[in-house]
């Protein structure tokens, strides 16, 4: 516990990268006292009980056993197939003590995708690259064979790996009209944007939030559809093909 506090400057606000549903992410530094070379920047994720209680009203249908979530994540990330995946974060270590459940990743991130997307920091092609990377990682997680159980973006939140934590997604509060895209106007003039891609991505997103599970696409289908985008076909080297 003391080492994690030292690494993150006692979990200071200046080192807070962002929050997920049940966790907080901190940037940390492993000092030269531990290493034969310069300081090593890492990411520390802690399960935060206050996040669950603070958002209890909004997340009335959510529940997460943090201890089991930590164990499942560690089991997953220590499997060879997970270690070799380019879109899954590398685990350096973990802490499983009362009131402090944490993992340490070999990751020095620019930021979390939510922050970059909401501040308009990502171009259209960068968003396509991120979407494709996450889709490939989720396809791996959703593999029915579950190869990890045989005992450029990076996924670091695994609480929905086995069944999820929500009763069902809430569909958007707007009327969606076919053959229209829901893409922010600031991205429409970006290089690599095609109206047909915007329509396809919008339709795919609407399918993903259907209440009925059998109406949602598989991640294999999502990856296939994203790989078929004009932007991916023409700018494959930019988006990670």
């Amino acid at each position: 516990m003391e080492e994690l506090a030292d690494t993150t400057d006692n979990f200071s606000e200046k080192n807070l990268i962002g929050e997920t549903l049940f966790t907080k992410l901190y940037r940390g530094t492993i000092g030269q006292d531990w290493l034969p070379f310069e300081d090593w920047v890492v990411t520390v994720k802690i399960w935060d009980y206050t996040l669950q209680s603070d958002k209890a009203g909004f997340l009335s249908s959510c529940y997460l056993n943090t201890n089991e979530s930590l164990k499942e994540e560690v089991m997953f990330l220590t499997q060879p197939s997970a270690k070799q995946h380019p879109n899954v974060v590398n685990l350096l270590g973990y802490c499983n003590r009362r009131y402090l459940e944490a993992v340490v990743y070999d990751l020095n991130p620019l930021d979390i995708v939510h922050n970059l997307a909401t501040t308009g920091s990502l171009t259209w092609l960068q968003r396509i690259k991120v979407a494709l990377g996450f889709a490939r990682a989720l396809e791996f997680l959703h593999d029915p064979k579950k190869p990890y159980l045989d005992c450029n973006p990076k996924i670091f939140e695994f609480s929905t790996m086995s069944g999820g934590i929500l009763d069902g997604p809430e569909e958007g509060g707007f009327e969606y009209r076919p053959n229209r895209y829901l893409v922010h106007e600031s991205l429409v003039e970006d290089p690599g944007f095609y109206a047909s891609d915007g329509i396809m991505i919008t339709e795919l997103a609407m399918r993903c939030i259907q209440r009925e599970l059998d109406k949602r696409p598989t991640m294999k289908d999502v990856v296939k559809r994203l790989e078929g985008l004009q932007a991916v076909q023409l700018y494959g080297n930019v988006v990670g093909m």
Side-chain angles (χ1 to χ4, degrees):
M1 294 175 63
E2 293 78 11
E3 289 87 349
L4 288 179
D6 290 341
T7 298
T8 59
D9 193 16
N10 201 28
F11 302 103
S12 68
E13 193 71 20
K14 68 178 182 180
N15 285 326
L16 180 65
I17 302 172
E19 298 178 358
T20 70
L21 195 59
F22 295 97
T23 66
K24 286 185 175 181
L25 296 166
Y26 291 90
R27 198 179 307 275
T29 304
I30 299 177
Q32 292 182 346
D33 293 343
W34 291 46
L35 302 168
F37 46 86
E38 63 182 9
D39 292 349
W40 190 1
V41 179
V42 298
T43 296
V44 178
K45 182 174 79 173
I46 65 169
W47 276 260
D48 193 328
Y49 298 93
T50 62
L51 292 178
Q52 300 175 49
S53 58
D54 290 347
K55 301 177 182 178
F58 177 69
L59 301 173
S60 58
S61 62
C62 298
Y63 172 75
L64 182 71
N65 184 319
T66 57
N67 188 264
E68 288 302 314
S69 178
L70 171 66
K71 290 180 180 178
E72 185 175 18
E73 180 171 327
V74 170
M75 178 189 69
F76 165 67
L77 290 176
T78 51
Q79 297 303 313
S81 56
K83 292 179 179 180
Q84 296 168 5
H85 199 284
N87 298 109
V88 176
V89 73
N90 291 324
L91 179 71
L92 289 178
Y94 65 96
C95 175
N96 187 12
R97 296 188 182 182
R98 190 178 184 185
Y99 302 123
L100 183 60
E101 287 146 347
V103 288
V104 181
Y105 301 133
D106 183 9
L107 182 65
N108 181 9
L110 174 65
D111 205 336
I112 60 174
V113 170
H114 177 268
N115 291 342
L116 293 172
T118 54
T119 57
S121 301
L122 295 176
T123 67
W124 175 253
L125 289 178
Q126 287 172 330
R127 290 166 191 255
I128 295 298
K129 181 177 183 179
V130 169
L132 185 57
F134 280 145
R136 287 170 173 163
L138 288 172
E139 180 187 22
F140 172 71
L141 293 180
H142 290 186
D143 186 346
K145 297 178 182 177
K146 302 219 181 297
Y148 53 86
L149 294 180
D150 60 357
C151 334
N152 308 329
K154 301 285 186 179
I155 281 188
F156 56 77
E157 184 57 62
F158 303 92
S159 55
T160 58
M161 184 163 55
S162 57
I165 53 177
L166 297 176
D167 288 342
E170 291 295 328
E171 298 185 52
F174 50 79
E175 297 286 338
Y176 167 66
R177 288 176 289 176
N179 297 318
R180 299 289 297 273
Y181 56 75
L182 300 174
V183 176
H184 197 278
E185 59 185 12
S186 65
L187 298 169
V188 173
E189 300 301 323
D190 270 10
F193 176 82
Y194 297 92
S196 59
D197 285 353
I199 293 171
M200 197 285 290
I201 290 174
T202 301
E203 292 177 344
L204 190 61
M206 297 304 294
R207 286 178 59 199
C208 288
I209 61 172
Q210 291 293 315
R211 290 183 179 276
E212 296 82 4
L213 290 175
D214 59 353
K215 291 185 179 180
R216 300 177 198 168
T218 65
M219 288 313 303
K220 190 177 186 66
D221 185 33
V222 171
V223 171
K224 183 178 180 179
R225 298 293 299 277
L226 290 177
E227 289 179 343
L229 293 173
Q230 289 191 61
V232 174
Q233 298 301 311
L234 296 174
Y235 299 91
N237 61 322
V238 177
V239 299
M241 284 293 288

